[in-house]
Amino acid sequence: MGDPTDGSSSTAPPSGIPITAEELRATPQWATTEAKAEDKNWDSLDHVRKENDTQWLRLYGKLLLVVTLVFTLVFLGSLLVWAWHYLAPRCWQWLEPGQLGKIQSVLFSGGMGAVVSNIIRTQISKA
């Protein structure tokens, strides 16, 4: 076999007899037994890939559901605590005015509500 840098063909078998163009077309170099065996396995590999994609989508859906529920519960809990501190008698309140102000700024800045509503809107549009 020739040196790849000298421009000679590297298609010659080890015996040094060059392969004719017809032989080269009849048996492509990639068509070894390993390549043929791998080619037969593509259907099963596609099946494995599809199963993995399905499992990932199920996990992603469950994770998104949990995150949505957590954000919704935090938002509603914060809203209830904030309302409680304005409606309940002073002796039933446990937050300082500064803490209550922080809850109010988070609730009414729209950030948390926007996150929850965006996640829910995205999921409803997929259905």
Side-chain angles (χ1 to χ4, degrees), residues 22-37:
E22 292 169 1
E23 290 174 331
L24 190 58
R25 278 190 297 271
T27 309
Q29 291 178 347
W30 56 267
T32 63
T33 55
E34 292 87 10
K36 288 179 183 177

Side-chain angles (χ1 to χ4, degrees), residues 63-125:
L63 183 66
L64 192 61
L65 181 64
V66 168
V67 168
T68 302
L69 288 174
V70 167
F71 270 107
T72 303
L73 291 175
V74 167
F75 180 76
L76 291 176
S78 300
L79 185 63
L80 287 174
V81 167
W82 176 80
W84 178 263
H85 275 76
Y86 279 101
L87 299 174
R90 189 91 173 138
C91 62
W92 290 354
Q93 298 174 4
W94 65 90
L95 292 176
E96 302 287 327
Q99 294 171 322
L100 194 58
K102 287 181 183 181
I103 290 175
Q104 183 176 347
S105 66
V106 169
L107 283 174
F108 298 110
S109 69
M112 190 176 294
V115 168
V116 171
S117 65
N118 189 24
I119 291 172
I120 292 172
R121 189 180 322 115
T122 302
Q123 292 307 309
I124 289 173
S125 69

